[in-house]
Amino acid sequence: MLTYGKTCPRFCLPQQRTKLQPKGPTNLANAAHFARHRGATCNKHARSTVHVATGDAVVATPDESEVFRTNDGVIEAVDEDEAEVDFLGESTSGNLRLVQRVKSEGIVNVLGLEQLDDIVTIPYNTLKKSQQELMRGLKVSPQYPKGLANRAIFCSRTLNLRSIQAIGYDMDYTLVHYDVDAWEGKAFHYMLQNLQSMGCPTEGLHFDATLVTRGLIVDQQLGNLVKADRFGHIKRSMHGTHMMNTGEIREVYGRELVNLKNEGRWCFLNTLFSVSEAVMYMQMVDRYDRGALPNQDFSNSYSSLYKLVQKALFRTHVEGQLKGEIIQDPASYVELDPDMAKSLLDQRAAGKKLMLITNSDYHYTNKMMSYAYNQFLPRGSTWRDLFNMVIVQARKPEFFNSKMSLYEIVTEDGLMRPAMDAKVDDTESRGRLYCGGGAAMVEKALGLNGDEILYVGDHIYTDAALAKINFRWRTCLIVRELELEIDALAQGQVHRNKLKELMNKKDLVGDLFNQLRLRRQRMAGQPTQESAELEETLGQMLMVSDHLDSLIGPMLEQDGQAFNKHWGYLSRAGLNDKSQITRQIEKYADVYTSRVANFLRYTPYMYFRSPSQSLAHDRHFYGLLDENKRW
């Protein structure tokens, strides 16, 4: 019997059981031995023992620690060889099961239940209350990390973390989060210097992060920045720093759709690293239009102008100017979160193999990870102890497309030697450090493939899309802006409800107006008292409809201003549709969240289930039921 806290309900086992003769071992002790022996001899891919430092102790955690006896029988984890597929299509590997079950006549004493069948009849709210009382006893937030809805993990495709054998992480904006204004502002500063060195006038250019959000699309042909819905229809657009109205957008684009496959024209802003680049480009477009770029090299076209800006940013990264300054003062750029380290420690303790796969070089990676993690780890541990494998200069997206030369980094100052293959040795206290290679090499080293591996990163294309398309890895996208987005959605809920109410009123008025218009059409050439009254009614209703339009238009433009005054919400385009970035997230990310630390609340054993998807006909179906009652 276990008690958590003075006032917490207890996890109780019934004192008396009606036991039937079991199959296999004749007692629980023998059954436990049987389960351990079978797990040790039959599972060729069994998870090896993981040693994780906790304080001054080293705790062995995997298979044997998950074999234990209860009055109901022996419990063990399902190994890979015996895993099945559950009713949602997920592997049961890593689930706990009763391997030597004792018949108990359906008697239980947990969550307020007395019989197993009580779980069917107990009201949901009653069950939830019992569950949350136990959660509080465990000092765990009952629903969201830290009780904040904006820290949740959101599921697009059902994902059973228990069956995940290995988790790979990107570093920048994933394991290490930067102050966007500080980082991108400094990147903008170095871009100015690079443009000046190329002879481009830069006076008056300044960094304004509100001009851009992730998920926008650069139209290199027309010098525009656009926001598209999931179908590619352009909903908002900015030319230079001028926000275009709906009439201007219709005149410029008509029925044209954004086609992201046309990379020569459309450039999707996948990551926060794109912010400084886009801010610079939009201001440069203003100068181009004013003829303030006299040099032909700078004013040939909007497309060549974009390439110039990209070149300036590329030099900033390649020449190491920006990262060199950040290394000297990480406190000014890195946002610390002690829960990040705790999340990774939990995952290691649960038997997951962890990998760091980053495009950054070893020197920068070591400095950033040391600053962000070492101070939150047990005494004597460093960030290297968290990972079974570290790969720097991975050169994503090529990492997921082809196998590049592989080198092993063998000294702290970065000395490398060629390597034929990567290795993961569970007897080593820390994983080996590599440079280059490819995803196929990772699978070979781990002895895993496909949906046994979860990859976590912030870049939709290089971290999520390619990992899923080419290797069928499960994916998690880190979208830090979600925290502001969800807060903004809550803040704007009253506005959106009023807007939707006006839209619904417009539908009612419009439906009646159309019927009256059709009736007048059918009465054409037959002037009567009714037709005269009909025309007067149509005139009155037109005034009502116009007045609704005058209210709805400005409200649509204001929708989402709490997130961004120019572009509105990140996830939405227009009133009811999803944005292009939301479509990309749902397509390529099995789960998405604002930060890695959010995994701490959900545990390494979480079963994420995707919610029911709303269909266009759903509301009409339920509305039909109501209408049938009235008729």
Side-chain angles (χ1 to χ4, degrees), residues 246-282:
T246 53
E248 292 171 322
I249 294 172
R250 185 61 180 265
E251 182 179 351
V252 171
Y253 290 106
R255 298 183 180 275
E256 186 174 11
L257 301 179
V258 171
N259 179 12
L260 294 178
K261 293 182 179 179
N262 182 3
E263 297 180 358
R265 178 176 181 182
W266 308 102
C267 182
F268 188 68
L269 304 183
N270 283 292
T271 174
L272 291 172
F273 283 130
S274 303
V275 171
S276 56
E277 173 186 295
V279 170
M280 176 70 77
Y281 179 60
M282 302 320 291

Short mmCIF file of all heavy atoms in Angstrom, two decimals, residues 246-282:
data_model
loop_
_atom_site.label_atom_id
_atom_site.label_comp_id
_atom_site.label_asym_id
_atom_site.label_seq_id
_atom_site.Cartn_x
_atom_site.Cartn_y
_atom_site.Cartn_z
N THR A 246 -7.43 43.61 -49.46
CA THR A 246 -7.97 42.47 -50.20
C THR A 246 -8.12 42.77 -51.69
O THR A 246 -7.93 41.89 -52.53
CB THR A 246 -9.33 42.06 -49.61
OG1 THR A 246 -10.20 43.20 -49.55
CG2 THR A 246 -9.17 41.48 -48.21
N GLY A 247 -8.45 44.03 -52.01
CA GLY A 247 -8.59 44.41 -53.41
C GLY A 247 -7.25 44.32 -54.14
O GLY A 247 -7.18 43.83 -55.28
N GLU A 248 -6.19 44.79 -53.50
CA GLU A 248 -4.86 44.72 -54.11
C GLU A 248 -4.40 43.28 -54.28
O GLU A 248 -3.78 42.92 -55.30
CB GLU A 248 -3.86 45.49 -53.25
CG GLU A 248 -4.09 47.00 -53.24
CD GLU A 248 -3.23 47.71 -52.22
OE1 GLU A 248 -3.03 47.15 -51.12
OE2 GLU A 248 -2.75 48.83 -52.52
N ILE A 249 -4.69 42.45 -53.28
CA ILE A 249 -4.30 41.04 -53.37
C ILE A 249 -5.02 40.38 -54.54
O ILE A 249 -4.40 39.63 -55.33
CB ILE A 249 -4.65 40.30 -52.06
CG1 ILE A 249 -3.78 40.84 -50.92
CG2 ILE A 249 -4.44 38.80 -52.21
CD1 ILE A 249 -4.17 40.31 -49.55
N ARG A 250 -6.31 40.65 -54.69
CA ARG A 250 -7.08 40.06 -55.79
C ARG A 250 -6.56 40.54 -57.14
O ARG A 250 -6.48 39.78 -58.12
CB ARG A 250 -8.55 40.41 -55.62
CG ARG A 250 -9.47 39.74 -56.64
CD ARG A 250 -9.38 38.23 -56.55
NE ARG A 250 -10.23 37.57 -57.51
CZ ARG A 250 -11.47 37.15 -57.25
NH1 ARG A 250 -11.99 37.33 -56.04
NH2 ARG A 250 -12.18 36.54 -58.18
N GLU A 251 -6.19 41.81 -57.22
CA GLU A 251 -5.69 42.36 -58.48
C GLU A 251 -4.35 41.74 -58.87
O GLU A 251 -4.10 41.46 -60.04
CB GLU A 251 -5.54 43.88 -58.35
CG GLU A 251 -5.06 44.55 -59.63
CD GLU A 251 -4.93 46.06 -59.49
OE1 GLU A 251 -5.39 46.61 -58.45
OE2 GLU A 251 -4.38 46.70 -60.40
N VAL A 252 -3.47 41.52 -57.88
CA VAL A 252 -2.13 40.99 -58.16
C VAL A 252 -2.16 39.49 -58.43
O VAL A 252 -1.52 39.00 -59.36
CB VAL A 252 -1.17 41.30 -56.99
CG1 VAL A 252 0.15 40.57 -57.16
CG2 VAL A 252 -0.95 42.80 -56.88
N TYR A 253 -2.92 38.73 -57.61
CA TYR A 253 -2.85 37.28 -57.69
C TYR A 253 -4.07 36.62 -58.33
O TYR A 253 -3.96 35.48 -58.80
CB TYR A 253 -2.63 36.70 -56.28
CG TYR A 253 -1.25 36.99 -55.75
CD1 TYR A 253 -1.06 37.93 -54.75
CD2 TYR A 253 -0.14 36.31 -56.25
CE1 TYR A 253 0.21 38.21 -54.26
CE2 TYR A 253 1.14 36.57 -55.77
CZ TYR A 253 1.30 37.52 -54.77
OH TYR A 253 2.55 37.79 -54.29
N GLY A 254 -5.21 37.32 -58.35
CA GLY A 254 -6.38 36.71 -58.94
C GLY A 254 -6.67 35.36 -58.30
O GLY A 254 -6.81 35.24 -57.09
N ARG A 255 -6.70 34.32 -59.12
CA ARG A 255 -6.95 32.95 -58.64
C ARG A 255 -5.66 32.14 -58.52
O ARG A 255 -5.71 30.91 -58.36
CB ARG A 255 -7.94 32.24 -59.57
CG ARG A 255 -9.30 32.91 -59.63
CD ARG A 255 -10.27 32.13 -60.51
NE ARG A 255 -11.58 32.76 -60.56
CZ ARG A 255 -12.52 32.57 -59.65
NH1 ARG A 255 -12.30 31.77 -58.63
NH2 ARG A 255 -13.71 33.18 -59.76
N GLU A 256 -4.54 32.79 -58.60
CA GLU A 256 -3.25 32.08 -58.53
C GLU A 256 -3.04 31.48 -57.15
O GLU A 256 -3.32 32.12 -56.13
CB GLU A 256 -2.11 33.05 -58.86
CG GLU A 256 -0.75 32.37 -58.95
CD GLU A 256 0.33 33.33 -59.42
OE1 GLU A 256 0.07 34.56 -59.47
OE2 GLU A 256 1.44 32.85 -59.74
N LEU A 257 -2.53 30.24 -57.11
CA LEU A 257 -2.24 29.55 -55.87
C LEU A 257 -0.74 29.49 -55.63
O LEU A 257 0.05 29.44 -56.57
CB LEU A 257 -2.80 28.12 -55.90
CG LEU A 257 -4.31 27.96 -56.13
CD1 LEU A 257 -4.68 26.48 -56.16
CD2 LEU A 257 -5.09 28.68 -55.04
N VAL A 258 -0.37 29.47 -54.38
CA VAL A 258 1.03 29.28 -54.02
C VAL A 258 1.41 27.83 -54.29
O VAL A 258 0.73 26.90 -53.85
CB VAL A 258 1.27 29.61 -52.53
CG1 VAL A 258 2.67 29.19 -52.11
CG2 VAL A 258 1.05 31.09 -52.26
N ASN A 259 2.49 27.64 -55.02
CA ASN A 259 2.99 26.30 -55.32
C ASN A 259 4.41 26.18 -54.76
O ASN A 259 5.37 26.63 -55.36
CB ASN A 259 2.99 26.06 -56.83
CG ASN A 259 3.53 24.69 -57.20
OD1 ASN A 259 3.71 23.82 -56.34
ND2 ASN A 259 3.82 24.49 -58.48
N LEU A 260 4.54 25.55 -53.61
CA LEU A 260 5.84 25.47 -52.94
C LEU A 260 6.84 24.60 -53.69
O LEU A 260 8.04 24.65 -53.40
CB LEU A 260 5.65 24.93 -51.51
CG LEU A 260 4.88 25.85 -50.56
CD1 LEU A 260 4.73 25.20 -49.19
CD2 LEU A 260 5.58 27.20 -50.42
N LYS A 261 6.36 23.83 -54.66
CA LYS A 261 7.30 23.04 -55.47
C LYS A 261 8.10 23.93 -56.42
O LYS A 261 9.17 23.54 -56.88
CB LYS A 261 6.54 21.97 -56.26
CG LYS A 261 5.92 20.89 -55.39
CD LYS A 261 5.21 19.84 -56.23
CE LYS A 261 4.62 18.76 -55.34
NZ LYS A 261 3.90 17.72 -56.15
N ASN A 262 7.56 25.12 -56.70
CA ASN A 262 8.27 26.08 -57.54
C ASN A 262 9.21 26.89 -56.65
O ASN A 262 8.92 28.03 -56.27
CB ASN A 262 7.26 26.99 -58.25
CG ASN A 262 7.93 27.99 -59.18
OD1 ASN A 262 9.16 27.99 -59.34
ND2 ASN A 262 7.14 28.86 -59.78
N GLU A 263 10.35 26.29 -56.29
CA GLU A 263 11.27 26.91 -55.35
C GLU A 263 11.96 28.14 -55.93
O GLU A 263 12.50 28.95 -55.18
CB GLU A 263 12.31 25.89 -54.90
CG GLU A 263 11.69 24.71 -54.14
CD GLU A 263 12.74 23.70 -53.70
OE1 GLU A 263 13.92 23.90 -54.03
OE2 GLU A 263 12.35 22.71 -53.05
N GLY A 264 11.94 28.28 -57.24
CA GLY A 264 12.53 29.46 -57.86
C GLY A 264 11.73 30.72 -57.60
O GLY A 264 12.25 31.84 -57.73
N ARG A 265 10.45 30.54 -57.24
CA ARG A 265 9.62 31.70 -56.96
C ARG A 265 9.22 31.79 -55.49
O ARG A 265 9.32 32.84 -54.88
CB ARG A 265 8.36 31.66 -57.82
CG ARG A 265 7.43 32.84 -57.51
CD ARG A 265 6.22 32.90 -58.41
NE ARG A 265 5.41 34.07 -58.08
CZ ARG A 265 4.26 34.36 -58.68
NH1 ARG A 265 3.78 33.58 -59.64
NH2 ARG A 265 3.58 35.45 -58.31
N TRP A 266 8.74 30.68 -54.93
CA TRP A 266 8.19 30.71 -53.57
C TRP A 266 9.19 30.14 -52.58
O TRP A 266 9.73 29.06 -52.77
CB TRP A 266 6.89 29.89 -53.50
CG TRP A 266 5.86 30.26 -54.52
CD1 TRP A 266 5.57 29.59 -55.68
CD2 TRP A 266 4.98 31.39 -54.50
NE1 TRP A 266 4.56 30.21 -56.37
CE2 TRP A 266 4.17 31.33 -55.66
CE3 TRP A 266 4.78 32.44 -53.60
CZ2 TRP A 266 3.20 32.28 -55.96
CZ3 TRP A 266 3.81 33.38 -53.89
CH2 TRP A 266 3.03 33.30 -55.04
N CYS A 267 9.40 30.84 -51.50
CA CYS A 267 10.32 30.40 -50.44
C CYS A 267 9.56 30.37 -49.12
O CYS A 267 9.16 31.42 -48.61
CB CYS A 267 11.54 31.29 -50.34
SG CYS A 267 12.74 30.76 -49.08
N PHE A 268 9.36 29.19 -48.58
CA PHE A 268 8.60 29.01 -47.34
C PHE A 268 9.51 29.26 -46.14
O PHE A 268 10.61 28.69 -46.05
CB PHE A 268 8.04 27.58 -47.30
CG PHE A 268 7.09 27.32 -46.17
CD1 PHE A 268 5.85 27.93 -46.13
CD2 PHE A 268 7.43 26.46 -45.15
CE1 PHE A 268 4.96 27.67 -45.10
CE2 PHE A 268 6.56 26.19 -44.12
CZ PHE A 268 5.32 26.80 -44.09
N LEU A 269 9.07 30.11 -45.22
CA LEU A 269 9.88 30.42 -44.04
C LEU A 269 9.63 29.34 -42.98
O LEU A 269 8.71 29.43 -42.18
CB LEU A 269 9.52 31.82 -43.50
CG LEU A 269 9.66 32.97 -44.51
CD1 LEU A 269 9.35 34.31 -43.83
CD2 LEU A 269 11.05 33.00 -45.14
N ASN A 270 10.49 28.32 -42.99
CA ASN A 270 10.30 27.14 -42.17
C ASN A 270 10.66 27.32 -40.71
O ASN A 270 10.16 26.59 -39.86
CB ASN A 270 11.16 25.98 -42.71
CG ASN A 270 10.56 25.34 -43.95
OD1 ASN A 270 9.53 24.70 -43.88
ND2 ASN A 270 11.23 25.51 -45.08
N THR A 271 11.54 28.24 -40.42
CA THR A 271 12.15 28.28 -39.10
C THR A 271 12.35 29.70 -38.62
O THR A 271 12.31 30.66 -39.42
CB THR A 271 13.52 27.54 -39.13
OG1 THR A 271 14.18 27.69 -37.89
CG2 THR A 271 14.40 28.10 -40.23
N LEU A 272 12.58 29.86 -37.33
CA LEU A 272 12.81 31.19 -36.77
C LEU A 272 14.10 31.82 -37.30
O LEU A 272 14.27 33.03 -37.24
CB LEU A 272 12.85 31.10 -35.24
CG LEU A 272 11.51 30.77 -34.57
CD1 LEU A 272 11.71 30.50 -33.09
CD2 LEU A 272 10.52 31.89 -34.77
N PHE A 273 15.01 31.00 -37.81
CA PHE A 273 16.23 31.54 -38.41
C PHE A 273 15.94 32.37 -39.66
O PHE A 273 16.81 33.10 -40.15
CB PHE A 273 17.20 30.41 -38.79
CG PHE A 273 17.95 29.83 -37.62
CD1 PHE A 273 17.99 28.47 -37.41
CD2 PHE A 273 18.63 30.66 -36.74
CE1 PHE A 273 18.69 27.93 -36.34
CE2 PHE A 273 19.32 30.14 -35.66
CZ PHE A 273 19.35 28.77 -35.47
N SER A 274 14.72 32.27 -40.19
CA SER A 274 14.35 33.00 -41.40
C SER A 274 13.88 34.42 -41.11
O SER A 274 13.70 35.21 -42.04
CB SER A 274 13.23 32.25 -42.14
OG SER A 274 13.60 30.94 -42.45
N VAL A 275 13.67 34.75 -39.84
CA VAL A 275 13.07 36.04 -39.50
C VAL A 275 13.92 37.21 -39.96
O VAL A 275 13.44 38.13 -40.64
CB VAL A 275 12.80 36.12 -37.98
CG1 VAL A 275 12.37 37.54 -37.58
CG2 VAL A 275 11.73 35.12 -37.57
N SER A 276 15.20 37.22 -39.61
CA SER A 276 16.06 38.36 -39.95
C SER A 276 16.19 38.51 -41.47
O SER A 276 16.21 39.63 -41.99
CB SER A 276 17.44 38.18 -39.32
OG SER A 276 18.03 36.95 -39.71
N GLU A 277 16.26 37.40 -42.17
CA GLU A 277 16.38 37.42 -43.63
C GLU A 277 15.16 38.09 -44.27
O GLU A 277 15.29 38.95 -45.15
CB GLU A 277 16.53 35.98 -44.13
CG GLU A 277 16.49 35.82 -45.63
CD GLU A 277 16.48 34.35 -46.01
OE1 GLU A 277 17.49 33.66 -45.74
OE2 GLU A 277 15.48 33.89 -46.58
N ALA A 278 13.95 37.70 -43.82
CA ALA A 278 12.73 38.25 -44.41
C ALA A 278 12.54 39.72 -44.04
O ALA A 278 12.08 40.52 -44.86
CB ALA A 278 11.52 37.43 -43.96
N VAL A 279 12.89 40.09 -42.82
CA VAL A 279 12.78 41.49 -42.40
C VAL A 279 13.68 42.36 -43.28
O VAL A 279 13.27 43.44 -43.74
CB VAL A 279 13.17 41.66 -40.91
CG1 VAL A 279 13.28 43.14 -40.54
CG2 VAL A 279 12.14 40.98 -40.01
N MET A 280 14.89 41.89 -43.51
CA MET A 280 15.81 42.63 -44.37
C MET A 280 15.27 42.74 -45.79
O MET A 280 15.28 43.83 -46.40
CB MET A 280 17.17 41.93 -44.39
CG MET A 280 18.20 42.56 -45.32
SD MET A 280 18.77 44.17 -44.73
CE MET A 280 19.90 43.62 -43.42
N TYR A 281 14.76 41.65 -46.34
CA TYR A 281 14.29 41.65 -47.71
C TYR A 281 13.14 42.62 -47.92
O TYR A 281 13.13 43.37 -48.92
CB TYR A 281 13.87 40.23 -48.11
CG TYR A 281 13.34 40.12 -49.52
CD1 TYR A 281 14.13 40.46 -50.61
CD2 TYR A 281 12.04 39.67 -49.77
CE1 TYR A 281 13.65 40.35 -51.92
CE2 TYR A 281 11.54 39.55 -51.06
CZ TYR A 281 12.36 39.90 -52.13
OH TYR A 281 11.88 39.80 -53.42
N MET A 282 12.16 42.65 -47.02
CA MET A 282 11.01 43.51 -47.22
C MET A 282 11.40 44.99 -47.21
O MET A 282 10.85 45.80 -47.96
CB MET A 282 9.94 43.23 -46.16
CG MET A 282 9.44 41.78 -46.13
SD MET A 282 9.22 41.01 -47.75
CE MET A 282 7.82 41.92 -48.39
#
